Amino acid sequence: MNEKILDKTQLRIGLFVMLDLPWMSHPFLTNNFKIRNQRQLSILHQLDIEQVKVDLDRSDAFSEAELDETVAFDETEPSESGDDLKSTLWAEKTERIRRLKQRRSRLNQCAKSYVQKVGMARKLMAHLRSSPAQAAEEAGELVDGMVADLTEDAETTVQLVNLKHQDENSYNHAINVSALALVLGRKLELDQGQLRLLGQGGLFHDLGHLKIPAQILMKKEPLTDPERRFYEQHPRYGAEIARQIGTLPVGVIEIIAKHHEYLDGSGYPGGLHANDLGLLTRILTVVNRYDNLCNGFGGERGLSPHQAVSRMYSKERQCYDPKVLSTFITNLGVYPPGTVVKLNDERIAVVISINADDLLKPNVLVYSEDIPSEEALVLDLIEEGIAIRESLHRSELTQTQIEYLNLSDKLSYYFQGAKGRAGR
């Protein structure tokens, strides 16, 4: 870091300043920022400091002679008085804090609803053999509740999906796939009947795992060819179980049977092509693949949400319905909510919502040692002119960063047996 101490009279637009002040002693959103306008410069001149540290590496290019000059400060710009400027910035800071608290409240409400839905999924799965009619009825009620709760605030649901948790299991995975499928189905303007079938298909899509031995489902090493061939029959087994239940709709059974089939014929177990795959199956295939890429282990699994979306688009696009995939990416963003990122100014952040005007510049919550976590800074990267340098894995963060960004107590979905290569 190339640092220099300047008198505040030498400050100018384009310098990156680092204020050595308590966060609540000034109206700026952060202690470290690039001076972008006369308004910020005016407030800096009014602070009770004489010198300011600047980072020249993050500043615009200035010669030594320019930096040593005293800048003639035009008090007539901007037109607001000093007190008015401070009041405006304090109001903006307070409003950002209020919105952050509101967002956290929504996320907590969504998390509680999610935990409840996982419990309901566990209960209905237990009823499948003993009372299949009751299980089918419970599945319908569960999906109706998910449409009402988890898809009402799509960005909060997606963020919840993408943040990992230590106790993930098959019930979490089922709710995950259902929730994402319903979010996508609503974006594709499906009617209530279609959404109900789609949600139930998400709940039951891995029903065939009941016939796969635990030593295959739980195996951490790559499967042998015989094990792989056996595992790839689970959609067929699932459809057989669903038919035996006798109360699941035909549309749900079709999703179960075909959720690993791809438009180009590269899927399993039947190697079907586009003409054999309905819209609901095409939706379920996309969200199931995304979740497995994000939340699996080994090989190509365990990707960040950004890496998963990028892989599906750049390397697997031929597998999916173009409209379904483009709608999925457009609404999740290139950096889906829950993605941990490093900004081009080296700060660590977590994506909380997308910007429809520029999918590469979402809204992020930023880690800062200077700002209390309950008042963490939320930035609009378009507005701030900041870019994302790269996406990060949670494992690359310190425990302090994990706790600050509130990543340790969020929920995500992972199916314990879903390990290995594509499509498993």
Side-chain angles (χ1 to χ4, degrees):
M1 186 181 294
N2 186 9
E3 298 178 358
K4 187 178 180 69
I5 303 295
L6 299 178
D7 290 336
K8 67 180 180 182
T9 58
Q10 296 172 297
L11 296 178
R12 64 188 70 216
I13 293 172
L15 287 174
F16 189 96
V17 298
M18 296 179 288
L19 301 178
D20 187 18
L21 293 170
W23 187 63
M24 290 302 292
S25 68
H26 62 79
F28 296 108
L29 291 173
T30 180
N31 282 14
N32 307 326
F33 60 93
K34 180 184 279 191
I35 304 172
R36 300 187 182 279
N37 52 53
Q38 195 72 24
R39 182 190 197 199
Q40 293 174 325
L41 197 56
S42 176
I43 294 295
L44 286 167
H45 275 254
Q46 295 169 43
L47 294 180
D48 188 22
I49 52 174
E50 296 303 320
Q51 294 184 317
V52 178
K53 185 187 296 183
V54 299
D55 181 354
L56 298 181
D57 290 337
R58 289 190 273 179
S59 301
D60 293 343
F62 295 102
S63 68
E64 284 295 325
E66 288 175 313
L67 292 174
D68 290 338
E69 290 179 358
T70 297
V71 179
F73 183 66
D74 185 358
E75 292 288 355
T76 65
E77 287 216 17
S79 59
E80 297 171 274
S81 70
D83 288 342
D84 287 342
L85 275 171
K86 285 185 178 179
S87 296
T88 299
L89 288 181
W90 273 115
E92 291 176 359
K93 193 169 187 174
T94 302
E95 174 60 18
R96 294 253 185 149
I97 293 171
R98 186 196 66 79
R99 289 203 304 266
L100 175 62
K101 290 179 178 178
Q102 186 180 62
R103 186 194 69 82
R104 281 188 169 149
S105 176
R106 290 201 313 269
L107 190 58
N108 287 336
Q109 290 174 357
C110 194
K112 289 177 182 178
S113 177
Y114 169 70
V115 170
Q116 181 187 38
K117 301 300 184 286
V118 170
M120 293 174 66
R122 182 179 290 107
K123 181 180 176 182
L124 75 87
M125 292 298 182
H127 290 162
L128 270 176
R129 294 298 179 87
S130 61
S131 181
Q134 180 182 350
E137 182 179 348
E138 290 171 349
E141 294 173 357
L142 174 52
V143 170
D144 290 343
M146 291 173 66
V147 171
D149 297 340
L150 293 183
T151 66
E152 187 65 28
D153 187 343
E155 287 179 336
T156 301
T157 296
V158 172
Q159 182 177 359
L160 190 66
V161 166
N162 288 328
L163 297 176
K164 300 197 184 307
H165 189 261
Q166 299 300 312
D167 301 319
E168 298 146 339
N169 55 49
S170 58
Y171 307 112
N172 298 90
H173 176 70
I175 297 298
N176 181 11
V177 171
S178 293
L180 286 178
L182 290 170
V183 168
L184 183 53
R186 292 191 79 167
K187 297 297 183 182
L188 291 166
E189 300 182 342
L190 300 188
D191 61 33
Q192 287 298 113
Q194 290 173 307
L195 288 174
R196 197 173 225 251
L197 291 175
L198 182 61
Q200 291 187 59
L203 288 177
F204 294 120
H205 74 281
D206 275 335
L207 198 55
H209 280 197
L210 293 173
K211 288 193 175 183
I212 305 298
Q215 59 266 36
I216 293 179
L217 289 178
M218 304 298 289
K219 188 176 182 180
K220 295 182 179 181
E221 300 77 24
L223 298 181
T224 64
D225 286 342
E227 288 172 336
R228 169 64 57 188
R229 287 193 293 271
F230 187 18
Y231 179 82
E232 289 182 350
Q233 294 303 308
H234 82 263
R236 184 169 288 139
Y237 298 150
E240 291 172 358
I241 295 172
R243 292 188 190 97
Q244 292 169 4
I245 291 172
T247 54
L248 293 177
V250 173
V252 173
I253 297 174
E254 180 178 341
I255 290 173
I256 296 170
K258 300 179 181 180
H259 70 277
H260 279 294
E261 302 285 359
Y262 294 137
L263 266 65
D264 65 350
S266 64
Y268 62 81
L272 304 179
H273 288 77
N275 292 339
D276 302 308
L277 306 176
L279 176 59
L280 301 187
T281 299
R282 297 178 184 210
I283 293 171
L284 206 289
T285 298
V286 167
V287 299
N288 184 55
R289 176 62 171 156
Y290 170 78
D291 187 62
N292 280 334
L293 283 175
C294 287
N295 297 323
F297 286 122
E300 61 194 4
R301 304 308 180 92
L303 304 182
S304 72
H306 167 65
Q307 290 170 329
V309 166
S310 297
R311 181 184 181 86
M312 291 174 70
Y313 185 78
S314 64
K315 297 183 178 180
E316 302 175 356
R317 189 162 64 240
Q318 72 281 1
C319 297
Y320 312 112
D321 181 289
K323 183 177 181 181
V324 172
L325 183 62
S326 64
T327 302
F328 183 68
I329 293 174
T330 299
N331 286 279
L332 261 71
V334 176
Y335 297 95
T339 304
V340 180
V341 297
K342 178 179 285 188
L343 305 177
N344 63 357
D345 61 8
E346 299 298 325
R347 284 184 289 180
I348 304 298
V350 61
V351 176
I352 61 171
S353 61
I354 68 169
N355 270 320
D357 293 333
D358 189 342
L359 296 181
L360 293 175
K361 293 189 175 182
N363 300 307
V364 301
L365 185 148
V366 181
Y367 169 75
S368 173
E369 295 178 350
D370 303 316
I371 303 174
S373 59
E374 63 272 13
E375 297 168 345
L377 177 64
V378 175
L379 294 181
D380 179 333
L381 296 188
I382 295 178
E383 180 182 308
E384 300 294 332
I386 299 172
I388 290 174
R389 175 173 297 175
E390 60 181 327
S391 65
L392 302 174
H393 289 281
R394 182 179 180 273
S395 60
E396 297 178 76
L397 304 184
T398 66
Q399 189 59 36
T400 299
Q401 290 169 331
I402 289 171
E403 292 175 358
Y404 185 100
L405 296 174
N406 219 12
L407 305 182
S408 58
D409 61 352
K410 299 301 182 296
L411 300 169
S412 154
Y413 321 142
Y414 163 65
F415 182 62
Q416 291 289 346
K419 307 180 182 74
R421 66 170 174 81
R424 186 174 172 188

